[in-house]
Amino acid sequence: MNNGENCKRRRKEGFTADEDDGENDDSCSSGRETKKKDLNGIITSLILLDEQEKRGREERNDAFKEEKSVMESTHTKGTRTMLEFHSNLNDYYSKIDEADSVKRKKSRVKAATVVATASNHVADDGNGKSGSGQQRRLWVKDRSNAWWDECNRPDYPEEEFKKAFRMSKSTFDLICDELNAVIAKEDTTLRNAIPVKQRVAVCIWRLATGEPLRLVSKRFGLGISTCHKLVLEVCSAIRNVLMPKYLQWPDEDSLRKIKQQFEGISGIPNAVGSMYTTHIPIIAPKISVAAYFNKRHTERNQKTSYSITVQGVVDPTGVFTDVCIGWPGSMTDDQVLEKSALFQRAKNGGLLNGAWVVGNSGYPLMDWVLVPYNQQHLTWTQHAFNEKIGEIQKVAKEAFGRLKGRWCCLQKRTEVKLQDLPVVLGACCVLHNICEMKKEGIDPELKIEVIDDEMVAEDGLRSVSSSKARDAIAHNLLHHGLA
């Protein structure tokens, strides 16, 4: 029994003796002091534990901050090192290209000097008479062009030719005839000129297959730099000579027929074109990298992607009537539209007065652009209208699918420089139109489905009158049982 209990018991029993009272008081005081000391010890221990825990947390935080700082520093150094390496690599390749260019120029000058000297010797030999009667030629590396010679034979199978060049022989010959006056070259003393058909074939095969230039070189028995030059020359000729003829805005009679065809497809009146914007992958440019960064493709493919845009308007047969090429891939569909020549013509000249160009939700609703309803809760009338307008939009998506399917160079990053790429893409659109007009079918295995990356335009409604007109069209479709 402890001292506290003795104290209580003795008080209860009524002890009154002075000696006993003194002893009891001493016992009670001793018990209280012991408890107080124990309590103080416990409190002191808790305080020490709390301080230790606090110091432990601070030490862990300091260690975490230090580790984070080291990781950030390492990441920054790594990024800086990669950028420096990339820059140095580009500089290295640039210097190599410059050195190669200088070597080629020197070789040509030296070769020309040797030929001229040899010619003089031949002319002076035998009292001014040449021994052989033939002029010497510049030495050229012997390459085999057996594959092209085989394709160029009159009896070469039509199906095989179409498989290689995405078009029939007659369409190929038509293109050669149209471009002959622009791309034909004359023979020189040093070498014979490359024939027009071979020039066009190099370009079309490169666009159709998307194969690297080294493989194009082997196919046609030409140098790599020669093939690259031919591709750019023929694409430029196609854009300058054939684009005004095969890719242009329809005249009044053609617009009338287009309206009838689109109305027959969807029931929507006064539609003169179906508009769509797609992206073409490119290698990361050296300047304005952020402008060409394609966030949507990067997120979908889990791989950093850069691109440029191609906006096109097509008629009911899938033929392009207007294109806008070359704007950076970070721009949205409505931003590309505002930068296009079509937008300026429609805004300033009233090109599309009383007519509609149909687009998806990535474009705004304007006086001449008709888009589907994009709010969350649609009425039955609005839903039916969206289905019908989708029939027109489908025409443009399928046309872009055939464009990319025919010309596989549009499906992957090419070796063409960024500044030359719009010329190549424009040539692909013109060649697509020629194939469509000539009813050139496409191999089902080549068809691709264009992935829709549309994003709803920030300012989706830019015309109140167009909103009312769209409502009227939707009600009319439902009233006449067309939706």
Side-chain angles (χ1 to χ4, degrees):
M1 189 175 295
N2 56 32
N3 294 331
E5 292 176 350
N6 289 335
C7 178
K8 291 179 182 179
R9 182 179 57 78
R10 287 168 182 165
R11 285 182 179 175
K12 186 174 181 181
E13 293 175 353
F15 292 114
T16 56
D18 293 337
E19 293 180 0
D20 293 339
D21 289 343
E23 293 176 357
N24 293 335
D25 292 340
D26 291 340
S27 299
C28 292
S29 298
S30 175
R32 284 195 297 272
E33 290 177 359
T34 301
K35 283 187 174 181
K36 187 174 182 182
K37 289 180 180 179
D38 294 340
L39 184 60
N40 290 336
I42 293 172
I43 293 174
T44 304
S45 300
L46 292 174
I47 293 173
L48 292 174
L49 288 173
D50 185 58
E51 291 178 353
Q52 290 177 358
E53 186 177 356
K54 187 182 296 184
R55 283 196 298 270
R57 285 198 300 268
E58 292 176 353
E59 291 175 357
R60 288 194 296 271
N61 289 336
D62 292 340
F64 175 75
K65 291 179 180 178
E66 183 178 357
E67 183 179 358
K68 182 179 179 182
S69 176
V70 171
M71 291 178 64
E72 291 178 350
S73 176
T74 304
H75 177 71
T76 303
K77 290 180 181 179
T79 303
R80 190 183 301 113
T81 303
M82 286 298 296
L83 292 175
E84 291 177 356
F85 172 77
H86 182 68
S87 177
N88 294 334
L89 190 62
N90 288 334
D91 294 339
Y92 172 73
Y93 284 130
S94 298
K95 290 179 181 178
I96 290 179
D97 291 340
E98 292 177 1
D100 290 342
S101 178
V102 172
K103 286 181 180 179
R104 286 194 296 270
K105 289 180 181 178
K106 289 182 178 179
S107 299
R108 286 195 293 268
V109 173
K110 186 176 179 180
T113 304
V114 171
V115 170
T117 304
S119 299
N120 291 334
H121 283 304
V122 170
D124 295 337
D125 187 24
N127 296 325
K129 296 180 180 180
S130 63
S132 62
Q134 296 179 352
Q135 292 182 337
R136 297 195 178 187
R137 293 170 48 79
L138 179 65
W139 178 84
V140 180
K141 182 179 179 180
D142 187 18
R143 293 184 175 92
S144 173
N145 58 353
W147 181 83
W148 164 242
D149 290 340
E150 182 73 12
C151 292
N152 198 31
R153 287 191 301 106
D155 59 344
Y156 189 74
E158 182 75 27
E159 290 298 323
E160 293 296 325
F161 188 91
K162 187 173 183 179
K163 186 176 180 181
F165 297 98
R166 307 296 193 261
M167 61 183 67
S168 62
K169 291 182 180 180
S170 59
T171 303
F172 179 83
D173 291 338
L174 170 67
I175 295 173
C176 292
D177 293 340
E178 296 270 8
L179 299 179
N180 183 73
V182 181
I183 65 175
K185 304 293 182 182
E186 295 182 356
D187 296 341
T188 65
T189 304
L190 299 180
R191 64 182 69 186
N192 295 328
I194 301 172
V196 170
K197 278 193 172 184
Q198 189 173 1
R199 290 173 176 270
V200 176
V202 168
C203 177
I204 293 181
W205 194 81
R206 165 85 161 118
L207 299 179
T209 62
E211 296 290 352
L213 290 170
R214 57 183 177 81
L215 296 183
V216 181
S217 172
K218 291 181 180 180
R219 286 278 183 175
F220 292 89
L222 301 172
I224 293 178
S225 59
T226 301
C227 291
H228 178 66
K229 183 180 178 181
L230 287 177
V231 170
L232 295 181
E233 285 182 354
V234 175
C235 284
S236 180
I238 290 173
R239 188 188 66 171
N240 296 332
V241 177
L242 301 184
M243 182 175 281
K245 183 176 181 179
Y246 292 100
L247 201 162
Q248 57 183 345
W249 191 254
D251 55 22
E252 289 298 327
D253 292 336
S254 299
L255 286 177
R256 192 177 302 109
K257 296 178 181 177
I258 290 173
K259 290 179 182 179
Q260 294 174 354
Q261 289 175 319
F262 273 132
E263 188 169 3
I265 293 173
S266 65
I268 297 176
N270 297 323
V272 296
S274 178
M275 182 166 55
Y276 192 79
T277 299
T278 191
H279 289 253
I280 307 299
I282 62 172
I283 299 173
K286 295 181 180 179
I287 57 174
S288 303
V289 178
Y292 292 90
F293 176 70
N294 191 319
K295 181 180 178 182
R296 286 160 287 177
H297 284 197
T298 299
E299 291 175 350
R300 186 178 68 249
N301 301 329
Q302 298 298 313
K303 182 180 180 181
T304 305
S305 302
Y306 300 89
S307 65
I308 67 171
T309 59
V310 177
Q311 174 190 283
V313 179
V314 303
D315 66 10
T317 62
V319 172
F320 288 103
T321 56
D322 183 86
V323 290
C324 177
I325 302 170
W327 290 103
S330 63
M331 296 176 62
T332 58
D333 293 354
D334 57 325
Q335 291 173 338
V336 175
L337 175 62
E338 292 178 359
K339 296 291 184 180
S340 66
L342 177 67
F343 182 88
Q344 298 301 324
R345 296 201 306 269
K347 180 180 179 182
N348 300 329
L351 175 68
L352 295 167
N353 187 24
W356 298 107
V357 172
V358 174
N360 56 31
S361 299
Y363 303 102
L365 178 65
M366 297 190 293
D367 291 333
W368 56 279
V369 179
L370 185 64
V371 299
Y373 294 95
N374 56 24
Q375 57 262 35
Q376 291 183 351
H377 303 290
L378 300 178
T379 64
W380 169 250
T381 304
Q382 294 170 340
H383 179 73
F385 173 82
N386 284 0
E387 288 186 347
K388 284 300 179 181
I389 203 174
E391 296 294 328
I392 298 180
Q393 184 59 28
K394 182 181 178 182
V395 175
K397 290 187 66 174
E398 290 181 347
F400 272 101
R402 293 194 297 275
L403 172 72
K404 288 187 173 183
R406 277 196 181 101
W407 315 117
C408 295
C409 66
L410 306 181
Q411 301 178 31
K412 51 188 176 182
R413 300 181 299 178
T414 67
E415 300 166 343
V416 180
K417 294 181 180 179
L418 185 61
Q419 59 268 28
D420 297 327
L421 199 52
V423 176
V424 176
L425 299 182
C428 289
C429 293
V430 174
L431 293 174
H432 165 87
N433 278 7
I434 294 175
C435 291
E436 294 288 312
M437 292 176 181
K438 297 299 179 181
K439 307 299 181 184
E440 298 282 357
I442 182 173
D443 190 339
E445 295 180 357
L446 296 175
K447 289 183 179 180
I448 66 170
E449 183 178 356
V450 179
I451 298 176
D452 200 347
D453 286 326
E454 71 179 62
M455 298 177 64
V456 177
E458 293 183 2
D459 185 10
L461 178 61
R462 301 188 185 180
S463 173
V464 178
S465 61
S466 297
S467 178
K468 294 180 180 179
R470 180 174 64 177
D471 292 340
I473 293 173
H475 285 288
N476 184 61
L477 290 174
L478 194 65
H479 179 71
H480 289 85
L482 299 175

